[in-house]
Amino acid sequence: MAIGENELRRVMGHFATGVTVVTTHGGGGRYFGLTANALSSVSLVPPLLLVCVDKKAESYASFEQSKVFTVNILAADQEDISRRFAVSGGDKFEGVSYRVGANGAPILGGVLAYIECKTVASYEGGDHTIYLGEIKETGTVEGKPLLFYRGGYRSLGG
Ligand SMILES: Cc1cc2nc3c(=O)[nH]c(=O)nc-3n(C[C@H](O)[C@H](O)[C@H](O)COP(=O)(O)O)c2cc1C
């Protein structure tokens, strides 16, 4: 019997992850982003990663059209940013510090790392689409990560 949605969330919640906000642009100075932890490194040469985006997400059409995205890895003090970008609707960037990266997608202020990508392939993944991104630009700072485990925000050692 197929596993139910809630049970799958509960089981997968045992896999501790970092938390990212994946951003893109919608043209005309409009920006989109969503909180995501379905992220994986894929290849070193060429440098590739993947993110999985829900087809029902409001930002989905922009990921499909722009063919670029930026992964923003959140710092331990950015739970508020994670919560903001995990809710659909409104201008999520209002009052949030960011700059526009070389690929045209926003880089959020205060993040531990950013990874700018060009979308080079996309794959069917059930109710999500798997985007394969070629990594173009990156940056990091020192700090502690925001973590997500069993449905809650955590920090290292906490
Ligand atoms: C910790 C966490 C991880 C998430 N990971 C993903 C993910 O990997 N992919 C995804 O599509 N949604 C993920 N979500 C849900 C989206 O952030 C949420 O559906 C968001 O409202 C979508 O925004 P949008 O509708 O404005 O595009 C996650 C939410 C949380 C809190």
Side-chain angles (χ1 to χ4, degrees), residues 61-114:
S62 297
F63 283 98
E64 283 286 292
Q65 284 156 23
S66 70
K67 308 285 189 219
V68 296
F69 61 87
T70 293
V71 176
N72 294 268
I73 300 176
L74 300 186
D77 64 356
Q78 292 186 304
E79 184 178 326
D80 57 335
I81 296 284
S82 178
R83 289 184 185 280
R84 172 187 281 244
F85 281 87
V87 178
S88 303
D91 178 3
K92 298 183 186 181
F93 291 89
E94 195 181 320
V96 171
S97 86
Y98 69 92
R99 66 186 168 89
V100 179
N103 69 354
I107 298 168
L108 302 184
V111 295
L112 279 191
Y114 67 88

Side-chain angles (χ1 to χ4, degrees), residues 19 33-38 52-54 56-60 82 85-89 92 128 148 153:
V19 183
L34 79 173
T35 300
N37 63 355
C52 302
V53 177
D54 192 333
K56 295 183 297 301
E58 285 187 3
S59 50
Y60 180 72
S82 178
F85 281 87
V87 178
S88 303
K92 298 183 186 181
H128 284 54
F148 198 74
Y153 293 98

